[in-house]
Amino acid sequence: MPCPRPRSGPAAAALDEAVLEFLKALKLKPERLQTFAERANGQASESVQRLIADRERVKAQLSAVLPKIRNIVRAIENGTDMPSMHESLRALESDRGELDASDARITSEIEAEQTQAIVVQDVIASLAGFQDLVEASAANPETATPRARMMVP
């Protein structure tokens, strides 16, 4: 992705100043962050619990299908070979494939939810670094624009 063209001139300086003033006014209290994170993490935890329950149901269905497949295979191996058994085996193998896919999907969703937990201390440290940048930029306005650009993707 190409770098945006640097802004210059009075309008750019005014825009940079307005952005810095907004950023100075933007202060989040650690208590608010803690409350927000607890709420967000609580919702994520509920989602994880629902996903775990879903995965357990899928595993229970899978453990009901596997013995049926083994029984049909044994019967065929022992000489009982009827077309209906092959149809049942195909249907059970299809169910098994769908259940395995569901299990893998749910497992990846659980992992994704668990990695989304908000760690308040990390956010507070980032905001403190950002506040330091704002204060340093106020003391030395010439460096404000390049520093701000470093922080904005």
Side-chain angles (χ1 to χ4, degrees):
M1 181 165 133
C3 240
R5 204 172 100 220
R7 297 182 309 264
S8 62
L15 178 62
D16 288 342
E17 185 61 33
V19 168
L20 276 174
E21 287 304 314
F22 173 77
L23 294 175
K24 287 178 192 174
L26 181 66
K27 290 187 179 180
L28 292 175
K29 296 180 179 175
E31 302 81 33
R32 282 187 181 165
L33 287 173
Q34 184 70 35
T35 302
F36 170 77
E38 286 172 1
R39 237 182 263 146
N41 290 341
Q43 290 171 351
S45 177
E46 290 172 14
S47 295
V48 168
Q49 293 306 317
R50 282 193 299 274
L51 288 168
I52 288 171
D54 289 347
R55 186 173 61 183
E56 288 173 2
R57 278 191 291 280
V58 167
K59 288 189 179 289
Q61 291 172 332
L62 189 57
S63 43
V65 167
L66 292 175
K68 292 176 184 178
I69 291 172
R70 280 193 296 272
N71 290 341
I72 292 173
V73 168
R74 274 194 216 114
I76 292 171
E77 287 172 347
N78 290 333
T80 308
D81 191 6
M82 301 183 303
S84 62
M85 293 176 85
H86 290 278
E87 290 171 21
S88 294
L89 185 59
R90 276 191 293 279
L92 289 168
E93 286 293 348
S94 174
D95 291 347
R96 176 185 180 187
E98 291 172 13
L99 291 168
D100 283 338
S102 291
D103 182 43
R105 178 187 52 78
I106 292 169
T107 299
S108 75
E109 287 179 22
I110 290 170
E111 290 168 0
E113 284 284 337
Q114 289 173 331
T115 60
Q116 295 297 320
I118 297 173
V119 180
V120 177
Q121 291 74 20
D122 293 345
V123 175
I124 290 171
S126 295
L127 288 174
F130 189 71
Q131 186 63 32
D132 292 345
L133 172 68
V134 170
E135 289 170 6
S137 296
N140 191 0
E142 304 85 50
T143 63
T145 302
R147 286 184 183 175
R149 284 192 186 125
M150 288 185 333
M151 296 197 72
V152 178

